[in-house]
Amino acid sequence: MKLALRIAIRYLFAKKSQNVINVISMISVSGVLVGSLALIVVLSVFNGLHGLIGSLYGSFDPELKIQPARGKVFSLDSIPSQEIYETEGVAVVSHILEDQALLRFDKRQVPAIVMGVDENFAEVSGIDTIIIDGKYQLRLERQNYSVVGYVLADQLGLRLNFVKPLVVYAPRRTARINMMRPDLSFNKEYLHPAGIFAVRQLEYDSRYMIVNIGQARRLFDYGDDVVSSLGISLKKGYETDDVKARLLKLLGEDFNILDRHEQHATFYKLMRVEKLMAYLILLFILVIALFNVIGTLSLLIFEKKESIGTLRSMGANRSLINKIFLTEGWLISLAGVTIGVLLGAFLVWLQQHFGLLKFSGEGAFIVDAYPVALQWSDMFLVYVSVSLVGLLAAWYPVRVIVQRYYSEQGEE
């Protein structure tokens, strides 16, 4: 194999009798280069979007979320609460109770999710970092407040300086519907908004209103020990999977413990599928470009037709000659993919540090430039994929043409 490689390198860089062969070789290398570069850049864009949207979710969601496997709520008495607090790696635990309700402000009515949280919620999420108007405050002395998603506030026509309170309705769970006075079939709470938050994700900004958990329990007719989930933040240096495994062992199969990816499993699965489809489409285009290698290698073999006879007369068998030209075709693909991957990585680095491609409309987007993130696994995947496809593209002309020329030199 070492001899075949040395001869292949010599043939590849040797002066050709026809200049057109050099031109076609450069075209082949350029096609592989551009395809590999495009693969690296597109995969990095998907990584950047994945990370950006994941960080937005992280500003609202806790690192771990405990919720019942069946039903909507559970009692704190039904779980070993103290053991959860003392679990290795657990920093803060927050109690959460959420359910559907109807919001009314003036003449506007909008259905929403009312999310009751305790005073620890800001420590298990980043809710206080995404307040775009007002402040994060749910209770002051005896006065109850709320923070509302900015799209939901816009739908209600709600502003922080309005004196008129927001009215929240929820059906009474334990009462029958009063046909004479339907309004008596609902619990009602009044509150004023203290802040407006923006996760920049419509599923939160258009649906959620956060209130004090005590007020949520009154609104939904639940006792003081009832929650729908527990939000958990981790101590620094602890892995999410390790803490999750400890909690699963503690709570058993009656509860689901979700990390941030599992809390939005559909979104992350969709992102992975989109990235895979983009990779396959670009790889298919690259396969078409690699057909140039077949033509290039055919010309290179024709160029060295007489050398095949020389090698045969020196004792080289057909297997060695096949390896020489197969290696030569593979080197063309390797040259293109190596330069393409390195150049693609360099372009991604430039975008990360200098933001060469920016979004139009200043201040209209979360970030100014297109987010990208380079992963070593993507570089390895592209390099291996293109190399293997290039090797397969070189196999056919070598097997067919070399056999023909070898036979013409006297093989029986």
Side-chain angles (χ1 to χ4, degrees), residues 171-178 184-186 221:
R172 294 182 174 178
R173 295 188 308 108
T174 57
R176 294 183 178 180
I177 297 177
N178 190 326
L184 297 179
S185 301
F186 291 84
D221 278 338

Side-chain angles (χ1 to χ4, degrees), residues 249-275:
K249 185 177 181 180
L250 182 65
L251 295 173
E253 298 180 353
D254 293 333
F255 291 87
N256 295 324
I257 303 174
L258 310 177
D259 58 29
R260 281 174 174 158
H261 281 75
E262 292 169 332
Q263 292 173 49
H264 301 281
T266 302
F267 162 75
Y268 286 109
K269 185 180 295 184
L270 179 61
M271 287 292 291
R272 287 193 294 269
V273 171
E274 289 178 344
K275 182 178 177 181

Side-chain angles (χ1 to χ4, degrees), residues 91-104:
V92 180
V93 179
S94 176
H95 299 165
I96 301 170
L97 176 65
E98 60 182 82
D99 209 337
Q100 299 281 344
L102 179 68
L103 310 184
R104 181 171 66 84

